[in-house]
Amino acid sequence: MITRGCLKIDMNDSIKTIQQQIQTLRETIDMHNYRYYALNAPTIPDAEYDRLFRQLQQLEQHYPQLITSDSPTQRVGAAPLKEFIQVMHRTPMLSLKNAFEDREVEAFDRRIRKELKIDHVEYTLEPKFDGLAVNLTYEKGILKSGATRGDGEKGENITLNLRTIKSIPLRLSLEHPPSLFEVRGEVLILKADFEKLNQEQQKKNKKTFANLRNAAAGSVKQLDPAITAKRRLVFFAYGVGVHEGTAPPYTRQSEAMDYLKTLHFPIACEYKVAIGVKALLAYYHEMTTSRDKLPYEIDGIVYKVNDLAQQAKLGFVSREPRFAIAHKFPAVEDVTDLVGIDVQVGRTGALTPVARLAPVFVGGVTVTNATLHNEDEIKRKQIMIGDKVIVRRAGDVIPEVVAVVPEQRPSHAKSFLMPDHCPICGARAVRLPGEKVTRCTGGLFCPAQRKQAILHFASRRAMDIEGLGEKLVDQLVENSIVRTPADLYKLGLSAMANLERMAEKSANNLLVAIEKSKRTTLARFIYALGIRHVGESTAKDLAYYVGQLDRLMAMNVEQLQMVPDIGPVVALSIVDFFAEKHNREVIEQLRSCGVRWEEHSGKVRQISSLLHGKTFVLTGTLPSITRDAAKEKIEHLGGKVTSSVSTKTDYVVAGSDPGGKYDKAVKLGIKILDEAGLMKLLQDSSGVSN
């Protein structure tokens, strides 16, 4: 008995018994490959599949004489090629005539009906995949070769690469297979896998693929099959070429597709049969709107006369079949001139470069603008103003520049530089370390950020101006009533009288809420300013440690990093914000309007307090203090408040109607406090200092 990994090999077993074990494992693995890659319906977990695969590998390693070319273990492992060999196709792989308008399809149907002398023609309707067409050749049921379409007469032998694609059967599931059988289809990469591939390419600082077709073609034409194997390519069959040695069990294209399906070849589930041109056009327009939801890219619909005898009668013209036509969708990609790059400023201050294009018809619309994402993307794609660029628009996705055409770069092309000042308000534009986006620092006064700044300023955890919602802010800004947060404190009834759905009572309630918000805390005010990376917790740290706003505004990066939990990125963001004089002017206006808070000389956090490092959960209604106020007191003394009870929770503070959190605390044996117990703990802790 020999043990190899998890497999025990009995040396007394006959070769015939071992051969039967190997064959059973191969058939089982092939079946699971089919269910996983063709049907997308796996029945076992990956770990179980891996166990079966390792078991087969170990048997074949011990009995190398039993290894065959159709074994699942032989999909990868050949040495890289120096070049691909050209091979002749037994029958040409012809291209299809394209139709771009409904009338061209109607003319196609009229010609077919006239030549066949029938009133109605039955067609197959198949998605036109946007991948790489290939021909697979099986001899006595075993995959022997695979080649690209090439020029139709001859293609490149890419057998070793195609063998790595798990949706391609290495053996036909037939007891008596044809002596020669050709399957024609398309190699694709699915949309989700395309995104993952480009992300991996970026991480490795390698060139990304412009589109799915390039990704599939580039992957399947690797000289090293091991690289192809990592790309998660898929294959979909769309027809049969040569069939010799047995009588074909099909007389129609639809029957041939069903036959391929029984042989475990994936076919498009969108494929269907229809009669008459009206059905063709209805299907085309249906697919035009639903194509973006498909897992793969298609660029049109292929119509084929279904009856194979009728196909033979119609024959070919030049290099095109007369019995089929491709009805193409409006192009999702095209080439045009990049005439300039503008910079837009978003609601959060992000500066986004936007391509200004010579008008180009893409995805069914005329496109003149396209996103360039950010400065790094422009550099990575080596985009220059004046370039010929490939523009892509799919469905409702914002058009984007996916690549340049470097061989057509004009001599006058020039590089793009991200501006160092906001194009809207003139404030400094900065890019913080570790970020991809450049941002405007004029958060309190920049028109592009106006709505976002005011909504944040008025939010519950900031200045807590009740009744100032998004729709009302939209009206105030769009009517130029409010330009900065300071303008909120200058509002009167007359300013709001003409606003939509603003009755006198609502206006009065809002003015009361604005007046009430003038009395706040330094922590809330700092948070309300909307400084990048300064959240509620950081604002509390700054207020507690620094104590005074003027002192905070005067601090440099090094001084700010002395505050607990403030790192260089946050410190730099704070310095950049207060360095912008217009932000300081708005702050001064807010003070002049009566916004105030208590200040102190600054304190060192009491890190040795009894609460330091302790975790609290608040539940239920406390008698005389809000949960927000309790949370603020706990955090002030170094504690942490979370929303869920776990074994890491130190205290649960329970008021009336505490609910399930109380029950869980009891079950876990966590100490439970009422409001009086919390107050005593806070008082005891505040008496301990460092």
Side-chain angles (χ1 to χ4, degrees), residues 14 29 37 60 141 147 163 207 239 333 354 376 462-463 467 479 482 493 498 533 628 682:
S14 67
I29 291 169
Y37 293 100
E60 290 183 344
R163 288 173 61 84
K207 184 178 180 181
E333 287 186 358
V354 176
D376 286 352
M463 300 300 287
N479 287 283
V482 170
L493 283 176
N498 297 323
H533 294 307
D628 280 346
L682 292 172

Side-chain angles (χ1 to χ4, degrees), residues 379-397:
K379 290 178 180 177
R380 185 178 63 80
K381 294 174 181 176
Q382 299 180 345
I383 296 171
M384 297 180 71
I385 298 169
D387 273 339
K388 289 281 186 183
V389 294
I390 299 171
V391 180
R392 179 178 179 82
R393 180 187 181 273
D396 295 327
V397 177

Side-chain angles (χ1 to χ4, degrees), residues 425-498:
C425 70
R428 288 179 62 243
V430 299
R431 180 177 172 180
L432 295 175
E435 293 197 350
K436 292 184 177 181
V437 177
T438 300
R439 295 181 187 274
C440 167
T441 59
L444 291 183
F445 67 94
C446 179
Q449 302 174 68
R450 194 166 282 163
K451 291 180 183 179
Q452 185 69 24
I454 293 168
L455 280 169
H456 175 78
F457 184 85
S459 63
R460 187 168 66 88
R461 296 189 181 277
M463 300 300 287
D464 193 21
I465 302 177
E466 189 175 348
L468 190 60
E470 188 169 351
K471 290 183 179 179
L472 181 53
V473 169
D474 285 346
Q475 292 189 70
L476 291 170
V477 171
E478 288 165 9
N479 287 283
S480 300
I481 298 171
V482 170
R483 293 178 174 82
T484 74
D487 291 337
L488 293 172
Y489 297 95
K490 304 170 187 175
L491 289 174
L493 283 176
S494 60
M496 294 185 285
N498 297 323

Side-chain angles (χ1 to χ4, degrees), residues 15 21 76 88 90 99 106 119 174 177 179 234 285 331 370 393 400 446 462 485 502 511 525 539 604 646 653 677:
I15 288 293
Q21 291 179 23
V76 189
M88 297 296 296
R90 289 180 175 85
E106 292 166 348
D119 293 331
L174 290 172
S179 58
V234 294
H285 293 295
R393 180 187 181 273
E400 67 170 329
C446 179
M502 180 54 69
L511 292 176
F525 186 77
V604 176
S646 72
V653 180

Side-chain angles (χ1 to χ4, degrees), residues 10 13 26 204 254 306-307 339-340 346 354 511 546 559 623:
D10 193 336
D13 285 348
R26 287 173 180 168
K204 297 174 183 176
S254 56
N306 195 20
D307 190 294
V339 297
V354 176
L511 292 176
V546 180
Q559 291 169 329

Side-chain angles (χ1 to χ4, degrees), residues 210-211 214 332-338 357 360 362 370-372 381 383 387-393 399-406:
N211 54 51
N214 288 352
V332 295
E333 287 186 358
D334 210 335
V335 176
T336 188
D337 294 316
L338 174 62
L357 308 167
V360 59
V362 181
T371 182
L372 292 166
K381 294 174 181 176
I383 296 171
D387 273 339
K388 289 281 186 183
V389 294
I390 299 171
V391 180
R392 179 178 179 82
R393 180 187 181 273
E400 67 170 329
V401 174
V402 294
V404 301
V405 185

Side-chain angles (χ1 to χ4, degrees), residues 28-271:
T28 302
I29 291 169
D30 282 339
M31 183 270 289
H32 287 304
N33 278 339
Y34 170 65
R35 293 194 62 82
Y36 187 95
Y37 293 100
L39 300 182
N40 195 27
T43 54
I44 61 172
D46 291 348
E48 176 63 13
Y49 176 90
D50 293 340
R51 187 189 67 78
L52 293 171
F53 197 88
R54 284 196 303 272
Q55 192 172 351
L56 176 60
Q57 281 180 317
Q58 290 162 3
L59 281 170
E60 290 183 344
Q61 286 169 6
H62 195 70
Y63 298 95
Q65 70 272 29
L66 299 181
I67 296 175
T68 59
S69 63
D70 62 314
S71 173
T73 64
Q74 302 305 297
R75 287 189 180 273
V76 189
L81 300 175
K82 293 183 179 179
E83 61 182 11
F84 294 116
I85 300 171
Q86 296 285 310
V87 292
M88 297 296 296
H89 297 302
R90 289 180 175 85
T91 57
M93 293 184 70
L94 302 178
S95 58
L96 296 173
K97 183 178 180 180
N98 291 329
F100 295 95
E101 298 181 16
D102 290 1
R103 59 182 179 82
E104 295 174 271
V105 178
E106 292 166 348
F108 165 77
D109 176 65
R110 279 197 303 272
R111 176 178 60 77
I112 297 294
R113 288 188 286 110
K114 181 178 180 181
E115 295 194 19
L116 293 177
K117 297 179 181 178
I118 55 177
D119 293 331
H120 303 285
V121 180
E122 184 178 74
Y123 296 97
T124 59
L125 293 69
E126 308 164 25
K128 185 178 183 301
F129 295 113
D130 193 15
L132 184 74
V134 299
N135 183 70
L136 307 175
T137 302
Y138 291 81
E139 296 179 9
K140 296 181 181 179
I142 304 296
L143 177 63
K144 289 298 181 182
S145 66
T148 63
R149 178 184 175 277
D151 64 4
E153 298 290 338
K154 61 181 181 299
E156 294 173 311
N157 186 330
I158 55 170
T159 306
L160 296 178
N161 289 349
L162 292 174
R163 288 173 61 84
T164 71
I165 301 174
K166 293 184 179 180
S167 52
I168 294 178
L170 299 179
R171 172 192 288 270
L172 299 179
S173 55
L174 290 172
E175 189 173 347
H176 301 291
S179 58
L180 185 65
F181 185 65
E182 289 183 342
V183 179
R184 289 179 172 174
E186 203 96 358
V187 172
L188 313 170
I189 184 166
L190 302 182
K191 293 175 182 177
D193 292 326
F194 173 74
E195 294 297 329
K196 291 177 184 176
L197 174 59
N198 267 348
Q199 288 170 8
E200 290 168 3
Q201 293 289 101
Q202 285 187 35
K203 287 179 182 177
K204 297 174 183 176
N205 291 320
K206 293 184 178 180
K207 184 178 180 181
T208 56
F209 293 96
N211 54 51
L212 285 89
R213 188 185 188 284
N214 288 352
S219 298
V220 85
K221 289 186 178 183
Q222 293 288 327
L223 294 174
D224 184 354
I227 296 176
T228 304
K230 296 176 182 177
R231 296 286 174 84
R232 292 185 63 84
L233 300 173
V234 294
F235 172 83
F236 284 88
Y238 58 66
V240 175
V242 174
H243 187 134
E244 296 178 357
T246 60
Y250 48 83
T251 60
R252 310 172 88 75
Q253 167 69 10
S254 56
E255 293 169 353
M257 295 290 282
D258 292 340
Y259 179 62
L260 288 168
K261 191 174 181 180
T262 65
L263 298 181
H264 291 179
F265 287 96
I267 65 170
C269 59
E270 293 78 22
Y271 143 84

Side-chain angles (χ1 to χ4, degrees), residues 351-366:
L351 272 61
T352 303
V354 176
R356 300 303 180 205
L357 308 167
V360 59
F361 193 72
V362 181
V365 300
T366 299

